[in-house]
Structure formats: structure tokens, C-alpha cells
């Protein structure tokens, strides 16, 4: 399949105005996407759990405008106009214009809100861009694009989301999502995320993710800058191969439910991501002293109790604490007694694996 597949053929209807609302989740990667080529093509495959609680809800209202030579839109977050979000959305619109040729015909009002505090340092680009992409798909569908099956709708929503923010393409449907071509996963694609197609053991059902908010500040280095530093990175090629290898290992881990093996892959991926940041030029460190305190306490707790709790990290200082549902009570106790003290204002968010956005058109 090529990108042409997503260029619409004809629109059979005209629409003066309308509005659609979608809610879309965040996701947490187990094998990380870090490094991309032109057009948001990932350097390696990644796989993520979809989150259940951390979501963005977006209402897209549109009205036909006189001229069609520019993009025209306003953005609101929790009812407050946010002009600083506009450049990212303008870039998104430019990237997707050939796939959504109606974009310049309308003025859009984008009203968005998050289930988690915006200032929490939790990346909202995955849930935000995927919610907006789903709204745009609804507009396209009501313009009467032929061939809009549910499968095509979701695939194109993921394709568009990727052009907004790479990780956003893993937020469209399903609980475990793969993005990026992998030789053992039929149907995997660099263009969009797919539902993980193989068995996932009961051990991973309702897997828990408590997000410990170590640092709620703005990221010092944006993901886009970080990805670009993988060009000419001395360890890049080996890292991309390793991601393929880790995906292969996860396929059998998901099947057998081997949590010790799962922990090794997930923690190694998190530390490798940060190792890539520390060894790029310029180099940078996003972990904070409290990130390391938490990691060390998780390791000590695991030795003491034989727990299967582990951690992963995004491009920031916050720690995602992952654990099976069967350990929910004991690990929550551990978090409250020993880890929250390392969080900014003792803040954390408890989430778990969920099923994604496509169920929720509001
Ligand atoms: C560290 O998806 O935010 O969270 O494509 O430039 O928008 P852009 O990057 P983004 O990168 C996120 C990377 C990560 C790992 C991951 O989610 O796989």
C-alpha cells in the first residue's frame, strides 16, 4: 500500500457547517519510537498499550468560508483560546492537505479538553492529534467520500494522526497497538498503527499504569528535536535493529505471559531511549534525581517482594509504573508509602490498559 491509498476520490455532498466530537486516549510505548525519516516514517517498529483514563476530548466545528486559499482555525483548551497551539496544527494541516482536500474550504473551531491536567507533563500530543484526526475523518465521511468502511475510517484516522504526531497513530483502536513494519507481523505498516494481531496472555489483561508526575514543567527538548538527533547518532543503526529484536521477543512474551522477560524488555527499552538522548550531539538528560530514586526503589521492592512491577519512561522525567492487575492493591500501597514522596506535589495518575478511541464518538 502507498500513501495514495488515502487520497479521497470524490466527495458527493456539500456541507455548509457542522460539528463532531471524539474522545481519544493516550498510549504508553513498550518498544519505543525514537528516530524518524521524512514524512513521519518511523525508523523502527514500536508497540504500545492504550490507556483507559488519560484522554483528550475534541469538538471540531466547521463552517464554509468565502475564499479557500488559507487554513483558518481557532483552538481552545478548556475554553481558553490557545494561539500557541496553532503552529503545530498549521503544520499538521499542511501535512495532511492532500489527503483531506476540503481543509481550506472551512473555518474550524477546535475545542479540546484533557482528562488529565495539561500542566502534568503528560504528553497530550498522542491523544490530542488522534482526537482531531478522528473528527476530520467524520467530516470527510459526511462529505460522502466513497469507500468509507469502518476499517478504512480507522486506518486513515491513524494515518492522519501519524502526520500530526508519530505516537498518535497508536491511539486509534485496540488495546495493544503496533506501528512500523516488522517482518513477523503481517499487516504492520510504517504508515499507520494496527491492532496487535497475535495472542495476548491473561497476565496482561487490565495491566496497570500509575504515572508518577516527577516534573510537570515544559519539556526542555521537544520530541521532534530529539527524534532528529537520531540522524548521525553513533548508535542509531544498532538501536533500530534492537527495537526489531525486542519486538520479536515481545511476541512470544505476550503469548506465554512471562512477566520476568516482559520486565527486562520494557525497562531496557526505557533506559535505551534515555541513553540515546544522553549520547546524541548535543546530548541532554530528561531524567531528574527523583526519576532515579523511583527506579531504584522499584528495583529494591522487586527483590524484597518478588513483585512483577516495572517502569517505563517517555521523553521526560515522569515514571510510568507498570504492574499486573493481580498486584493492584499491594503496588498501590507501595506507591503511596514510598514513591509519591518523589512526585511533584505528590501527584500521580492511576490508569490501566484500555481499548481505544473508536468506540467513543460523542
Ligand atoms: C518517547 O510522537 O511525540 O514517547 O512524531 O515528533 O510528534 P513526533 O514525536 P512523538 O514521540 C514520542 C516518542 C516517545 C516514545 C513512543 O511513544 O514510542
Amino acid at each position: 500500500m502507498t500513501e495514495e491509498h488515502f487520497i479521497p476520490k470524490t466527495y458527493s455532498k456539500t456541507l455548509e457547517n457542522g460539528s463532531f466530537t471524539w474522545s481519544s486516549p493516550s498510549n504508553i510505548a513498550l518498544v519505543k519510537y525514537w528516530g524518524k525519516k521524512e514524512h513521519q516514517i518511523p525508523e523502527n517498529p514500536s508497540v504500545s498499550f492504550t490507556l483507559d483514563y488519560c484522554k483528550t476530548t475534541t469538538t471540531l466545528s466547521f463552517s464554509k468560508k468565502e475564499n479557500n486559499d488559507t487554513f483558518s482555525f481557532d483552538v481552545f483548551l478548556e475554553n481558553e483560546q490557545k494561539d500557541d497551539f496553532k503552529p503545530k496544527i498549521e503544520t499538521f494541516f499542511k501535512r495532511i492537505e492532500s489527503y483531506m482536500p476540503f481543509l481550506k474550504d472551512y473555518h474550524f473551531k477546535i475545542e479540546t479538553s484533557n482528562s488529565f491536567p495539561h500542566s502534568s507533563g503528560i504528553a497530550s500530543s498522542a491523544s490530542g492529534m488522534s482526537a482531531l484526526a478522528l473528527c476530520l475523518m467524520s467530516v470527510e465521511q459526511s462529505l460522502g467520500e466513497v469507500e468509507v468502511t469502518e476499517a478504512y475510517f480507522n486506518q486513515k484516522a491513524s494515518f492522519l494522526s501519524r502526520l500530526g504526531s508519530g505516537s498518535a497513530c497508536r491511539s486509534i483502536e485496540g488495546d495493544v497497538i503496533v506501528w512500523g513494519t516488522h517482518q513477523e507481523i503481517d499487516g504492520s505498516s510504517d504508515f499507520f498503527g494496527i491492532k496487535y494481531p497475535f495472542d495476548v496472555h491473561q497476565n496482561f489483561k487490565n495491566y496497570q499504569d500509575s504515572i508518577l508526575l516527577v516534573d510537570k514543567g515544559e519539556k526542555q527538548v521537544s520530541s521532534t528535536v530529539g527524534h532528529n538527533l537520531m540522524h548521525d547518532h553513533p548508535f542509531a543503526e544498532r538501536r533500530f535493529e534492537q527495537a526489531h529484536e525486542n519486538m520479536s521477543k515481545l511476541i512470544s512474551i505476550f503469548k506465554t505471559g512471562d512477566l520476568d522477560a516482559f520486565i527486562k524488555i520494557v525497562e531496557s527499552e526505557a533506559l535505551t531511549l534515555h541513553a540515546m538522548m544522553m549520547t546524541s550531539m548535543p546530548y541532554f538528560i530528561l531524567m531528574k534525581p527523583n526519576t532515579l530514586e523511583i527506579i531504584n526503589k522499584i528495583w529494591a521492592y522487586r527483590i524484597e517482594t518478588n513483585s512483577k512491577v516495572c517502569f517505563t519512561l517517555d521523553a521526560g522525567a515522569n515514571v510510568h509504573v507498570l504492574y499486573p492487575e493481580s498486584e493492584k492493591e499491594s503496588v498501590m500501597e507501595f506507591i503511596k508509602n514510598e514513591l509519591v514522596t518523589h512526585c511533584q506535589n505528590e501527584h500521580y495518575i492511576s490508569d490501566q490498559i484500555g481499548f481505544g478511541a473508536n468506540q467513543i464518538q460523542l
Side-chain angles (χ1 to χ4, degrees):
M1 188 188 292
T2 64
E3 281 136 313
E4 259 82 273
H5 179 68
F6 297 104
I7 298 178
K9 296 193 184 68
T10 45
Y11 292 141
S12 57
K13 296 182 193 148
T14 54
L15 268 182
E16 283 308 306
N17 52 54
S19 135
F20 291 100
T21 299
W22 280 88
S23 175
S24 190
S26 188
N27 67 73
I28 179 68
L30 306 169
V31 172
K32 306 289 181 183
Y33 148 58
W34 198 245
K36 60 180 167 185
K37 304 177 195 151
E38 257 196 313
H39 307 298
Q40 298 281 104
I41 297 299
E43 290 278 11
N44 62 261
S46 58
V47 61
S48 57
F49 283 160
T50 303
L51 297 181
D52 198 31
Y53 165 75
C54 288
K55 289 196 163 113
T56 297
T57 301
T58 296
T59 297
L60 180 72
S61 313
F62 53 98
S63 49
K64 198 110 192 191
K65 62 182 172 68
E66 290 290 299
N67 68 54
N68 60 0
D69 16 286
T70 52
F71 298 119
S72 168
F73 59 93
D74 293 308
V75 196
F76 297 81
L77 174 68
E78 327 280 358
N79 299 321
E80 206 182 296
Q81 188 144 7
K82 281 279 179 190
D83 286 344
D84 46 330
F85 285 11
K86 289 185 90 170
K88 199 159 183 191
I89 294 176
E90 177 97 19
T91 303
F92 176 48
F93 279 5
K94 276 188 198 143
R95 285 184 190 156
I96 65 170
E97 194 188 356
S98 50
Y99 309 104
M100 295 260 123
F102 59 83
L103 282 178
K104 284 183 176 158
D105 297 341
Y106 294 98
H107 173 76
F108 294 98
K109 185 178 181 193
I110 303 164
E111 293 168 282
T112 182
S113 63
N114 294 325
S115 62
F116 48 89
H118 178 64
S119 59
S120 61
I122 294 185
S124 54
S125 68
S127 52
M129 284 298 175
S130 53
L132 181 55
L134 284 159
C135 291
L136 289 169
M137 282 307 296
S138 289
V139 179
E140 172 156 272
Q141 195 171 32
S142 55
L143 284 168
E145 218 286 77
V146 280
E147 280 183 60
V148 182
T149 59
E150 194 187 334
Y152 179 81
F153 186 99
N154 285 333
Q155 207 172 67
K156 184 165 174 181
S158 177
F159 176 89
L160 298 174
S161 302
R162 185 196 95 240
L163 292 167
S165 179
S167 55
C169 79
R170 296 188 312 239
S171 279
I172 298 298
E173 59 167 344
D175 50 353
V176 182
I177 312 284
V178 175
W179 167 42
T181 310
H182 187 270
Q183 62 169 16
E184 287 166 57
I185 305 179
D186 269 356
S188 58
S189 170
D190 287 347
F191 293 142
F192 46 80
I194 60 161
K195 277 195 224 178
Y196 177 73
F198 306 130
D199 288 350
V200 179
H201 193 275
Q202 279 293 315
N203 281 353
F204 298 103
K205 194 166 176 262
N206 297 333
Y207 222 70
Q208 304 290 304
D209 181 1
S210 294
I211 309 162
L212 306 188
L213 306 177
V214 170
D215 183 21
K216 304 189 201 169
E218 283 283 306
K219 279 195 235 172
Q220 302 143 342
V221 181
S222 78
S223 292
T224 301
V225 171
H227 285 291
N228 285 336
L229 292 174
M230 289 304 281
H231 299 137
D232 302 322
H233 190 293
F235 308 133
E237 284 316 311
R238 184 64 194 101
R239 157 61 196 153
F240 303 144
E241 280 168 20
Q242 178 202 37
H244 282 267
E245 291 155 15
N246 283 342
M247 278 293 302
S248 298
K249 289 181 188 157
L250 267 185
I251 293 173
S252 66
I253 292 169
F254 277 144
K255 195 168 175 182
T256 59
D258 182 344
L259 292 179
D260 292 318
F262 178 76
I263 291 170
K264 281 192 192 143
I265 301 284
V266 168
E267 292 189 346
S268 162
E269 275 288 323
L271 294 178
T272 300
L273 168 70
H274 283 254
M276 290 300 113
M277 300 172 188
M278 290 188 231
T279 49
S280 59
M281 192 56 79
Y283 42 80
F284 57 104
I285 301 180
L286 295 184
M287 288 191 270
K288 298 278 181 202
N290 277 325
T291 312
L292 293 176
E293 293 284 349
I294 291 168
I295 291 174
N296 280 315
K297 282 194 176 173
I298 289 174
W299 286 344
Y301 178 80
R302 226 165 43 216
I303 291 171
E304 251 168 57
T305 64
N306 210 18
S307 161
K308 303 299 177 203
V309 65
C310 71
F311 71 87
T312 189
L313 307 166
D314 265 345
N318 296 336
V319 182
H320 287 249
V321 183
L322 300 176
Y323 47 102
E325 194 185 23
S326 59
E327 290 191 32
K328 194 168 170 175
E329 270 175 39
S330 49
V331 173
M332 276 312 294
E333 272 303 291
F334 163 60
I335 290 174
K336 282 186 199 145
N337 293 339
E338 293 199 44
L339 302 185
V340 289
T341 159
H342 301 294
C343 300
Q344 211 176 340
N345 305 325
E346 307 215 331
H347 274 171
Y348 67 97
I349 294 174
S350 275
D351 209 331
Q352 63 176 16
I353 189 169
F355 271 87
N358 62 339
Q359 293 86 354
I360 313 172
Q361 184 185 2
L362 303 167

